[in-house]
Amino acid sequence: MQPSRPLCLSLLASLAVLAPLTPLAATTSANAAGTAALTVTNGGFEQGTTGWTLTSGTGVSSNAPHGGTKLAYLDAGPGKKISQTLTATGTGLYDFSAWIATGGTGGTFVARVNGTAVRTVELPSRTAYAKYTLPHVALKNGDTLELAFESGTGWINVDDVAATASVPPPVDVVNPGFEQDKAGWNFSAGTGVATNAPHGGTKLAYLDAGPGKKISQTLTATGTGLYDFSAWIATGGTGGTFVARVNGTVAGTVNLPSRSTYARYTISRVSLKSGDTLELAFESGTGWINADDLMVSPGAPADPVVTSSDPKIVEMFSWAKRKANSWVQLPGVVAPVNVDEGRPSGTGVGVYAPSYWAGYAHRSASYTRDLAHQVAGASVIGLHAENKSMLRAYAESATAEHKYFPVWALNFDNQTYLKIDYYSPTFFVREVPATFELVEKANHAYRWSGDSSYIDDPGLWNYYKHATKEFVELHDAKKANGVAEGTGDGIFAGAVSYNEAGDHHMIEAGDAIGSQYQAFRAMAALATSKGDTALATQYKQKADDLKAHFNTTWSGGGSGSSMIRGYTREGGALTGWGLENSWFMPMKQIIEPGSRAEAYLDFIDERASGSGKPSNIEAISYLPDAFFAYDRNDTAWKWMKYVYDQRDVQHPVSKQGPNGDYPEVSYTLLSQTVEGLMGVQPDAPAKSLATGSRLPSGMGWLQVKDVKVGGNTFTLRHDGATASKLTNATGSATYSWEARFPGNHSTIKVDGVARAVKTKTVNGKTYTYTTVSVAPGQTATVTVS
């Protein structure tokens, strides 16, 4: 594995997910419709210290409240505490939340039941208010609950403390990682819980070899929907099964192969309605079976289907969409935070937000660079809520205190910085390309979804502005040329490249400048959609100027292996093979089209095919994108097939399982099919899309059905590079379709009727095109000759 790849986790189950209990009553409760609700006294501190116990060095102030006119504060230094104690008069689950701002690390927000800490949030240094939650605190009649805020190295402000009855997700597996031994599960003879070889956490379930052995859990669904059920499983023989039964009838089965190392298996799109009985079971075969870390995912909102003259792409896309969806977190699940190789059980739990895995399988977090590469694939299967939630969370982390870097990793609650990568506001992992990629990918998510939050949400909009202005200004000191720099001192000081392997003390890199160029372009597009013409013009010019600087000065005069891909802090230019800081330059289209770009793509293909091939599959997953950017379709398809064909090969990181269980693999194959091979460029806010066939040699036709752009669903088919058909299948909007065809053609027809021939240049390539208005329910066919 390349050191440049982050390690992330799949340990949903290191701690138990509590079974739902009924709502509880407490001494401060007020009845509503017969159900008592726990209430925090004076949660906004508007009545001063009423209801709270305060030590010295704490108090109530009016200088910077989150809401209302007052807040509570703790001065810096140990031993300070603000707390409130309540007594429960019923049984149930509660979430306790507070809005907190901090001037240092080390502080905590904690819930203690009968004197024992049951939920703790370790507070980062974050001067802006953020909402922190202690989820699913289980209380029974007579329990004493203490809510406390305890001091750290810096000041702490607290406001708007609240209690709400927990709302569990509609399908909530008890003890999914077997950390509470057999709780929630039924075990037959010849099965049990062990500690010898867990996938995550400290325990696993096992079935001995031979027929008739079974481990199962039965649940009652409290909502309606489609769900995926995944588990990490290792086997010593064939014949075992992972099965889901709904009301006693098999709804999905995975027949387990013989594979002694862990891999992730998924039962996809199980339909449930409220009141259904769901049984999840592991059943024995000819060899032993180890099972761990069960996870529930909501079914993807979109379910596109690919058909083609080439069975390879049909098989690939079907596999990728099911695998990609299996990484989606079920919002509302209570699961561990801060799990890593040194903390297999994490530091506590959080309520998971809309999110999906974007990284390795042994940390409880997504990572910025993985998220950036997965946004497009997530859009293809309709994960718009997840994209926005995750992008918004990273945007919020890019504070002035962080010099406008987003944090490198967020737990799946989308608020807790992953502990192993974050120690303080000046010592956390950060890499320059990610700051810019998140701007580009937010624009990408906007074009797919049409969600106006991407331009209207102040948090997102401020992030775009800071990332493309103040961030550049703050990080352009050593080689002042308008190009954002890293420090050259490693990832915890601010690296300039995703390739962390080289020891060159780089301060400028090809992946950073390429990502900066695309961020400027994205800012111009977002400003246009927002109606700010002046800002759009400014950023279009900034993008054009940066690209000109790259091609005339920054990248030198060499070609292929002699093209410059970075600069050291001593001022030296770096050439040759740089992995990410090589292939990002064409992928981000900062290299001017022409012979120099073609030579560099040849160089990338040669090195990646030989001794320069990355050892980790997720790095190789970028290569199709680089070649599609310059219409090198056969080479892009070659690398798509390579990535897919390596899916069952063991990943270099053992906890990750096979290559196909790296999330980036499935997500990128989705986007490379729809945006790459099919050339789909959505613009949902403008009710338009452009398409252009990039089918490789030997692929006669390719169709994708039920691609959702904004509120409409489309079916698109390409026959070679000369005929395209688009159906506006569902939705209320009429879309403008720009049908593009590579090359100069003398004739273009819409539904057999000739139109005036128009041509345009896109990244150096000439296309013949026309624009067609396609109303709901209509189909249009465009051909060229």
Side-chain angles (χ1 to χ4, degrees), residues 714-762:
F714 298 88
T715 296
L716 174 67
R717 173 174 169 138
H718 294 316
D719 286 273
T722 60
S724 298
K725 181 169 70 173
L726 182 74
T727 300
N728 189 346
T730 65
S732 59
T734 296
Y735 266 66
S736 175
W737 173 33
E738 184 175 286
R740 300 174 183 170
F741 301 88
N744 275 301
H745 297 274
S746 59
T747 304
I748 187 165
K749 295 181 179 180
V750 177
D751 297 328
V753 179
R755 286 199 177 184
V757 172
K758 295 185 287 186
T759 61
K760 68 191 312 180
T761 301
V762 180

Side-chain angles (χ1 to χ4, degrees), residues 77 149 184 454 571:
F149 305 92
Y454 283 104

Side-chain angles (χ1 to χ4, degrees), residues 81-86 110-115 134 144-148 150:
K81 178 177 174 180
I82 297 174
S83 63
Q84 182 170 148
T85 300
L86 303 168
V110 60
R112 296 184 178 90
V113 177
N114 301 327
L134 304 172
T144 299
L145 168 73
E146 180 194 40
L147 294 177
E150 298 174 350

Side-chain angles (χ1 to χ4, degrees), residues 659-748:
N659 284 330
D661 282 333
Y662 196 98
E664 213 165 339
V665 169
S666 53
Y667 280 81
T668 55
L669 289 175
L670 292 177
S671 59
Q672 287 156 4
T673 301
V674 176
E675 296 185 345
L677 293 170
M678 299 298 287
V680 173
Q681 295 181 18
D683 193 353
K687 300 295 187 291
S688 69
L689 72 158
T691 67
S693 171
R694 293 197 188 108
L695 302 192
S697 303
M699 188 179 290
W701 63 272
L702 178 60
Q703 175 179 286
V704 58
K705 181 182 177 184
D706 294 337
V707 171
K708 191 169 186 180
V709 179
N712 286 50
T713 301
F714 298 88
T715 296
L716 174 67
R717 173 174 169 138
H718 294 316
D719 286 273
T722 60
S724 298
K725 181 169 70 173
L726 182 74
T727 300
N728 189 346
T730 65
S732 59
T734 296
Y735 266 66
S736 175
W737 173 33
E738 184 175 286
R740 300 174 183 170
F741 301 88
N744 275 301
H745 297 274
S746 59
T747 304
I748 187 165

Side-chain angles (χ1 to χ4, degrees), residues 762-783:
V762 180
N763 198 35
K765 302 294 183 183
T766 299
Y767 289 86
T768 301
Y769 77 99
T770 192
T771 302
V772 185
S773 181
V774 187
Q778 289 187 342
T779 297
T781 301
V782 183
T783 59

Side-chain angles (χ1 to χ4, degrees), residues 59-108:
V60 173
S61 176
S62 59
N63 63 320
H66 172 262
T69 61
K70 296 181 182 178
L71 71 145
Y73 67 86
L74 300 86
D75 290 334
K80 302 169 181 69
K81 178 177 174 180
I82 297 174
S83 63
Q84 182 170 148
T85 300
L86 303 168
T87 300
T89 60
T91 297
L93 288 176
Y94 274 85
D95 298 341
F96 298 96
S97 62
W99 287 86
I100 304 172
T102 52
T105 59
T108 57

